[in-house]
Amino acid sequence: MALLSPPASSVPTTVTFDQMLEKVRYEGAYPTRRHAQDVVRRVLEALGRQLTGDERVDLAGRLPQEAAGYLASQIPTGRPLTGWGFVKDLTERTGGTLATTRWDTGSVLGVVARLAGDDLTARIIGQLPDGYALLFGRAQLARAA
């Protein structure tokens, strides 16, 4: 009897931190690797303040060690923010503009979603308040009332 392989989207891929930074740098059109690294750090630390439970642990396991460290370095606040609230909070913390912060967030979380895979990304979005799907590059579906 043959064993079935899991779908490709659920198999974690091994990506180095440098490869992750290059993906973010390319997608975000950042001029330097250092700029991309700063954006990755800020966004993953902000996500670390929001994400809890198994989803947090599972995501850290799918990210390169350095990126997982950014996520894990923050204690969840217990104050859940909507996707828009997440962007506004990050803007206030970094002193950027809303447009730039939204761009940065999408650039990083789009790469994170591909590293996490479809199933884990769906679980993460399901745990967080409304508005995160778009930040992860997914369609925002209305929740049942």
Side-chain angles (χ1 to χ4, degrees), residues 74-116:
Q74 300 297 303
I75 297 169
T77 64
R79 181 177 60 101
L81 299 171
T82 64
W84 180 240
F86 179 87
V87 171
K88 287 182 3 184
D89 181 66
L90 189 52
T91 299
E92 291 169 7
R93 289 173 184 269
T94 62
T97 67
L98 286 170
T100 301
T101 304
R102 171 59 182 92
W103 178 265
D104 293 346
T105 301
S107 297
V108 174
L109 294 184
V111 171
V112 166
R114 287 194 299 284
L115 293 175

